[in-house]
């Protein structure tokens, strides 16, 4: 009879996850709850949330009449519920940890039941803090999700195909390491492999892809809470059934990172991004920004600034676009009752396509600008039970009327996490 150490067992589990098609990352599972359910040293954290949402424009369609397949397209409102159960398992292993979990988001619409669907994600993270100041993180997540319907069901089969949902599977596997050979200096390297696989053949032919990314950074600690770094990433995107839009991407950044416990926390990256299409020898460059900064004005007041600018690909046409998004959030905890918090957010975004597309016999390079904002309140009844309500507004202005819309959305919900 031989013995297997806890650490070796954890490595075997994550290695299985890495080679199994049953895991990948599309969205986070959420924070681990504060409950104390244990089986030995294994922590068990179940959670569930229930939300009710009303939207006056569930398809984010334009407010101009248009006939498609004998149906008139205009804004449609609806009320829908979202039930999100899940569970996470956290196993501390000396200085290491293993986290595995899953969740589902179950959507149910009152009037337009063709929009009912379930998104699901499962996966895990292994953190290894080894001797000689070496840190390794392995994560692997798998999800089943969809591109949502663009319009309600209509009788015309050709037109219906244009507006139908597009379900797909996604996988995201990442390995990241960090090594500190000298005081104040560290090096980091990472590898990421991701893919999308669509259920329907007509969607798969255009959109199935694989992406491999490698990157690294050199880090210098100015103080115990502030690092400066230089970073480089390279990725290769290959479409499964067509090589027309295969491309290579280079991203170089210089930046600052602030300790999560500091008054100013998060990161700021400034640099250049390049997308090079291998088939027709065309490449695009842009100034790139990645930022997620928090500032604790006081224990009761927190500001958060997020900024994003990079080259992406259109989900419908695969053409390159420059995406920009800037948002400012403010959170205020009431001193009279610290269980109650007010949240506000404003933002600006833009999409600028680098190639022409054709919609409704109009050919042009799509340009969108978006203004959005919202306000909400949450009440922490217990440390494991939170009530919340919020309102959000979006105004998307596009030179293609298909993408020109406004939406008002209100949500109330309750979340229990143990």
């Amino acid at each position: 009879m031989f013995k297997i150490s806890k650490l070796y067992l954890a490595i075997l589990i994550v290695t299985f996850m890495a080679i199994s098609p049953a895991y990948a990352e599309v969205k986070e599972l959420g924070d681990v709850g504060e409950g104390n359910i244990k089986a030995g040293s294994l922590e068990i954290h179940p959670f569930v949330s229930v939300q009710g949402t009303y939207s006056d424009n569930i398809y984010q369609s334009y407010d101009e009449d248009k006939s498609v397949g004998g149906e008139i397209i205009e804004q449609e409102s609806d009320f829908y519920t979202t039930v999100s159960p899940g569970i996470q398992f956290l196993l501390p292993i000396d200085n290491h940890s293993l986290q595995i979990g899953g969740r589902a988001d179950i959507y149910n619409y009152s009037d337009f039941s063709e929009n009912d669907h379930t998104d699901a994600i499962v996966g895990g993270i292994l953190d290894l803090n080894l001797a000689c100041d070496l840190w390794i993180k392995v994560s692997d997540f798998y999800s089943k999700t969809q591109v949502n319907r663009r319009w309600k069901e209509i009788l015309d089969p050709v037109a219906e195909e244009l507006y139908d949902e597009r379900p797909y599977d996604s996988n995201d596997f990442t390995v990241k390491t960090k090594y500190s050979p000298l005081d104040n200096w560290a090096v980091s390297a990472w590898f990421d492999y991701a893919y999308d696989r669509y259920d329907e053949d007509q969607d798969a032919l255009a959109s199935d892809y694989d992406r491999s990314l490698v990157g690294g950074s050199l880090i210098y600690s100015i103080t115990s809470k502030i690092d400066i770094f230089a970073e480089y990433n390279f990725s290769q995107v290959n479409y499964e059934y067509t090589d027309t839009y295969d491309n290579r991407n280079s991203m170089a950044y210089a930046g600052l990172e602030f300790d999560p416990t500091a008054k100013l926390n998060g990161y700021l990256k400034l640099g250049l991004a390049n997308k090079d299409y291998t088939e027709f020898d065309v490449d695009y460059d842009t100034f790139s920004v990645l930022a997620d900064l928090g500032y604790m004005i006081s224990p009761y007041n927190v500001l958060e600034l997020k900024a994003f600018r990079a080259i992406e690909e259109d989900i419908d046409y695969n053409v390159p676009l420059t995406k920009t998004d800037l948002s400012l959030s403010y959170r205020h905890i009431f001193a009279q009752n610290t269980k109650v918090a007010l949240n506000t957010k404003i933002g600006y975004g833009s999409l600028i396509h680098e190639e022409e597309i054709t919609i409704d016999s109009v050919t042009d390079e799509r340009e969108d600008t978006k203004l959005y904002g919202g306000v909400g309140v949450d009440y922490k009844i217990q440390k494991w039970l939170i009530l919340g309500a919020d309102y959000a507004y979006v105004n998307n202005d596009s030179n293609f009327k298909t993408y020109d819309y406004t939406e008002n959305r209100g949500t109330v919900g309750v979340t229990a996490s143990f």
Side-chain angles (χ1 to χ4, degrees), residues 32-46 383-384 417-418:
V32 173
E34 300 180 34
N36 194 32
I37 305 173
K38 288 189 175 182
S41 57
L42 177 67
E43 300 178 16
I44 304 171
H45 298 279
K383 67 179 182 179
W384 54 269
S417 58
F418 299 90

Side-chain angles (χ1 to χ4, degrees), residues 223-226 257-267 292-305:
T223 71
S224 60
K225 293 185 180 295
I226 304 176
E257 185 167 14
F258 304 91
D259 190 272
T261 62
K263 193 168 186 177
L264 177 63
N265 53 79
Y267 62 86
D292 188 349
L293 295 170
Y295 180 65
M296 185 174 291
I297 303 171
S298 74
Y300 301 103
N301 298 279
V302 179
L303 282 174
E304 184 177 27
L305 175 68

Side-chain angles (χ1 to χ4, degrees), residues 143-156:
S143 75
K144 292 189 71 70
T145 184
Q146 68 174 31
V147 178
N148 290 335
R149 291 186 62 87
R150 305 302 174 88
W151 188 241
K152 62 184 179 181
E153 283 186 332
I154 56 180
L155 298 177
D156 186 293

Side-chain angles (χ1 to χ4, degrees), residues 235-237 239 245-249 275-278 313:
S235 70
Q236 176 77 47
V237 177
Y239 284 86
Y245 289 102
D246 289 356
N247 60 85
R248 298 184 292 257
N249 301 269
K275 183 178 285 288
D276 178 21
Y277 284 86
T278 55
E313 293 167 56

Side-chain angles (χ1 to χ4, degrees), residues 109-355:
Y109 286 73
S110 296
D111 295 331
F112 300 101
S113 60
E114 62 266 31
N115 294 298
D116 293 354
H117 68 280
T118 299
D119 295 337
I121 179 171
V122 292
I125 301 170
L126 175 66
D127 267 311
L128 301 174
N129 288 291
L130 304 175
C132 304
D133 297 315
L134 176 64
W135 170 80
I136 301 174
K137 180 177 181 179
V138 182
S139 67
D140 198 11
F141 289 86
Y142 168 81
S143 75
K144 292 189 71 70
T145 184
Q146 68 174 31
V147 178
N148 290 335
R149 291 186 62 87
R150 305 302 174 88
W151 188 241
K152 62 184 179 181
E153 283 186 332
I154 56 180
L155 298 177
D156 186 293
V158 177
E160 167 65 13
E161 188 174 296
L162 294 174
Y163 297 103
D164 203 2
E165 70 272 8
R166 296 161 56 192
Y168 65 95
D169 299 350
S170 278
N171 190 83
D172 198 328
F173 170 74
T174 304
V175 179
K176 186 171 184 178
T177 66
K178 185 177 180 180
Y179 176 55
S180 304
L182 301 171
D183 291 342
N184 299 335
W185 288 95
V187 292
S188 183
W190 50 86
F191 168 77
D192 180 87
Y193 171 72
Y195 68 71
D196 282 358
R197 295 291 183 267
Y198 283 79
D199 293 3
E200 302 295 332
D201 290 343
Q202 68 271 16
D203 299 327
L205 289 173
S207 301
D208 279 11
Y209 79 90
D210 298 79
R211 186 203 68 215
S212 298
L213 181 147
V214 294
S217 63
L218 178 64
I219 307 160
Y220 178 74
S221 298
I222 302 175
T223 71
S224 60
K225 293 185 180 295
I226 304 176
D227 295 341
I228 60 173
F229 60 86
E231 173 183 310
Y232 178 76
N233 295 273
F234 175 82
S235 70
Q236 176 77 47
V237 177
N238 294 315
Y239 284 86
E240 187 78 4
Y241 298 103
T242 176
D243 55 8
T244 303
Y245 289 102
D246 289 356
N247 60 85
R248 298 184 292 257
N249 301 269
S250 298
M251 297 148 285
Y253 297 100
L256 293 166
E257 185 167 14
F258 304 91
D259 190 272
T261 62
K263 193 168 186 177
L264 177 63
N265 53 79
Y267 62 86
L268 169 65
K269 302 180 185 181
L270 303 175
L272 296 173
N274 172 269
K275 183 178 285 288
D276 178 21
Y277 284 86
T278 55
E279 279 300 302
F280 36 87
D281 194 26
V282 175
D283 67 296
Y284 302 94
D285 299 281
T286 190
F287 172 67
S288 184
V289 180
L290 303 175
D292 188 349
L293 295 170
Y295 180 65
M296 185 174 291
I297 303 171
S298 74
Y300 301 103
N301 298 279
V302 179
L303 282 174
E304 184 177 27
L305 175 68
K306 290 187 177 183
F308 177 91
R309 180 178 172 85
I311 303 175
E312 294 192 345
E313 293 167 56
D314 184 275
I315 194 170
D316 295 321
Y317 299 92
N318 297 336
V319 299
L321 60 89
T322 300
K323 179 179 179 180
T324 303
D325 193 85
L326 179 67
S327 67
L328 181 65
S329 302
Y330 169 65
R331 179 173 174 84
H332 172 71
I333 300 173
F334 290 90
Q336 299 86 346
N337 186 346
T338 56
K339 293 182 177 182
V340 182
L342 175 70
N343 306 290
T344 62
K345 184 176 185 177
I346 56 173
Y348 166 84
S350 70
L351 298 177
I352 300 176
H353 283 53
E354 306 293 348
E355 296 286 336

Side-chain angles (χ1 to χ4, degrees), residues 20-69:
S20 169
Y23 292 86
E25 180 172 26
V26 170
K27 58 184 178 181
E28 296 181 358
L29 296 174
D31 296 330
V32 173
E34 300 180 34
N36 194 32
I37 305 173
K38 288 189 175 182
S41 57
L42 177 67
E43 300 178 16
I44 304 171
H45 298 279
F47 58 89
V48 63
S49 72
V50 180
Q51 292 186 330
T53 302
Y54 172 82
S55 169
D56 67 354
N57 192 356
I58 60 170
Y59 298 107
Q60 297 184 332
S61 62
Y62 48 93
D63 191 16
E64 294 182 28
D65 290 349
K66 169 188 170 185
S67 178
V68 176

